Amino acid sequence: MEKVLVTGGAGYIGSHTVLSLLRSGFEVVVIDDLSNSSRESLVRVQTLAQKNVEFVHASLLDETKLKATFSAHNFSAVIHFAGLKAVGESMQKPLSYYQNNLISTLNLCQCMTEFKVNKLVFSSSATVYGEHATPPYTEELPLSRASSPYGQTKVMIEQMLQDIVKAGSLQVASLRYFNPIGADQSGLIGEDPLGIPNNLMPFVAQVAVGKRDKLSIFGGDYPTEDGTCERDYIHVSDLANGHVKALQWLSLQQQPLYEAFNLGTGSPFSVLAIVKSFIRHTGVDIPFEIAARRSGDLAAFWADASKATNILNWQCEYTLADMMKDTWHWQSKNPQGYQS
Ligand code: NAD
Ligand code: WQD
């Protein structure tokens, strides 16, 4: 059985991907420092899959523990989720973001080289297309300067990985996520942000459960149909499945390679459309107000995801209605997240 190392596997996307991997027959070892997650997510993943996950509580910045993890297992591939991800926080703490995200990735690549583990799936983001690309975004667009230090770490890591591929034997699939939302259909695992959510969907879910009074919609005067921003929201379980498909594709490849793939549905929805859809599909009201624009937000972007469909044989299975219902299922079952 193939054994995969999943960095950051206790987090939101990581935990859903670990579940998909176990269900697809992979063995999984997770390394996570739990700086933005809890051990409980993986306990629940094990319950859902009826399989074990080995857990290493360590930071990728700790080279000794990372090396020990590689030396204790024979990994066929790595999926690299670990990193800091809050756009706003990265403006306040650029040093932490460059330090954590870049050095972690370098340490990981060092170990992969030393232990001859060649296959890597990297969590990238639509943010690497920068501020001036015209949607739908295709992978042929050049990497552009991102608008935040967080986004910049994704651009820089993609560039680093391309250079490492050219000089060695690494095979890399960089998956550029659009806006992941939703939760596993069981309602047992989901997104559990610390403090006030930065992202739309967890904020909506917390208003629905009574933790927050109302949603502020950032900007009502964008050049879109209803004046609010448009994004390409993708169900986290579809995203998780994209990682399994990427691993399966990488396992067939013999030569060093670097390929980027967009993971999105290809259909944009406005903030107002999301709020209305949530109300319609859950029956729970979401009080909201139109507030000032949030600095750095783009009016609209979405994916051309045909490359992932054609090459990875990947397709989205969940609808916007599923994304709303599954978000609410998770939040209503776990009003305090994993502390519930
Ligand atoms: P998350 O914060 O839930 O998961 C990241 C995990 O990495 C957490 O469990 C955290 O504890 C861990 N971690 C952080 N630094 C670490 C380190 N140095 N060593 C070990 N573990 C560490 O975030 P997520 O939403 O699941 O995102 C996963 C990845 O996908 C991230 O790289 C993120 O940048 C990327 N991404 C996320 C989104 C999104 O909207 N959620 C979009 C595009 C890309
Ligand atoms: C979506 C829309 C907001 C909160 C971010 C990162 C991106 C990627 C995904 C990691 C926007 C609006 C939000 C709120 C609102 N992450 N909104 N009220 O900004 O598209 O993407 O997450 O790589 O890099 O930038 O996602 O969920 O924050 O916002 O009106 O309370 O919802 O203005 O239009 P975003 P988001």
Side-chain angles (χ1 to χ4, degrees):
M1 201 187 293
E2 286 193 46
K3 198 187 265 192
V4 180
L5 176 66
V6 180
T7 78
Y12 171 47
I13 304 170
S15 55
H16 287 81
T17 302
V18 171
L19 180 59
S20 291
L21 289 168
L22 294 174
R23 285 181 171 158
S24 305
F26 290 91
E27 250 186 273
V28 178
V29 176
V30 166
I31 183 164
D32 198 305
D33 65 1
L34 302 181
S35 55
N36 196 38
S37 54
S38 82
R39 185 76 185 81
E40 178 64 16
S41 63
L42 292 175
V43 171
R44 296 188 185 186
V45 164
Q46 292 182 118
T47 306
L48 285 169
Q50 291 293 297
K51 284 184 182 161
N52 256 13
V53 176
E54 188 169 326
F55 180 68
V56 180
H57 185 185
S59 169
L60 297 190
L61 298 175
D62 183 338
E63 291 170 80
T64 311
K65 282 196 184 150
L66 187 59
K67 237 182 184 183
T69 307
F70 272 85
S71 115
H73 301 277
N74 191 11
F75 296 124
S76 58
V78 177
I79 305 184
H80 180 33
F81 292 106
L84 302 176
K85 65 155 183 179
V87 172
E89 185 187 58
S90 79
M91 314 263 200
Q92 312 304 321
K93 302 180 182 169
L95 203 52
S96 304
Y97 273 68
Y98 286 116
Q99 159 90 357
N100 193 67
N101 294 3
L102 299 186
I103 307 297
S104 288
T105 307
L106 287 174
N107 287 347
L108 183 65
C109 289
Q110 288 284 8
C111 277
M112 290 182 69
T113 306
E114 188 176 333
F115 290 87
K116 299 192 169 32
V117 180
N118 287 327
K119 296 176 195 293
L120 175 66
V121 177
F122 171 61
S123 290
S124 190
S125 164
T127 192
V128 301
Y129 294 114
E131 294 177 45
H132 303 293
T134 308
Y137 295 169
T138 66
E139 295 84 350
E140 284 104 62
L141 287 165
L143 289 174
S144 182
R145 201 187 191 292
S147 54
S148 68
Y150 162 72
Q152 222 17 48
T153 66
K154 295 295 180 195
V155 173
M156 292 164 85
I157 291 170
E158 283 213 35
Q159 289 168 333
M160 276 169 15
L161 290 173
Q162 288 172 18
D163 288 342
I164 297 169
V165 164
K166 279 183 205 146
S169 43
L170 212 57
Q171 300 168 315
V172 180
S174 277
L175 304 184
R176 296 175 180 162
Y177 314 155
F178 280 66
N179 287 60
I181 60 170
D184 183 66
Q185 282 192 304
S186 64
L188 276 185
I189 57 172
E191 188 167 13
D192 182 19
L194 291 174
I196 301 171
N198 300 304
N199 298 112
L200 177 64
M201 219 47 229
F203 204 103
V204 167
Q206 291 196 4
V207 172
V209 85
K211 250 177 113 171
R212 319 249 161 232
D213 290 342
K214 62 171 184 281
L215 170 75
S216 294
I217 294 184
F218 300 140
D221 57 353
Y222 282 98
T224 57
E225 222 164 276
D226 64 21
T228 67
C229 293
E230 295 175 346
R231 295 288 182 274
D232 183 340
Y233 296 94
I234 171 173
H235 196 294
V236 66
S237 300
D238 278 329
L239 194 67
N241 185 35
H243 293 73
V244 175
K245 294 283 188 182
L247 272 190
Q248 290 168 339
W249 176 76
L250 278 177
S251 75
L252 303 173
Q253 309 305 314
Q254 314 289 341
Q255 301 302 321
L257 65 86
Y258 184 91
E259 286 292 343
F261 298 95
N262 289 338
L263 294 185
T265 64
S267 302
F269 289 95
S270 72
V271 179
L272 260 180
I274 292 291
V275 172
K276 286 182 186 159
S277 175
F278 187 88
I279 296 170
R280 182 163 64 250
H281 293 292
T282 64
V284 184
D285 193 30
I286 302 294
F288 67 85
E289 63 176 9
I290 303 288
R293 289 183 179 197
R294 182 173 69 178
S295 132
D297 274 341
L298 300 181
F301 63 87
W302 61 96
D304 177 334
S306 51
K307 182 174 174 189
T309 304
N310 295 337
I311 297 182
L312 303 181
N313 190 25
W314 170 82
Q315 237 152 262
C316 288
E317 286 169 12
Y318 293 91
T319 63
L320 190 68
D322 296 324
M323 300 181 212
M324 300 301 126
K325 288 183 209 158
D326 292 341
T327 298
W328 180 233
H329 190 202
W330 152 253
Q331 189 71 64
S332 54
K333 260 180 114 160
N334 304 272
Q336 306 301 328
Y338 289 112
Q339 307 304 318
S340 299

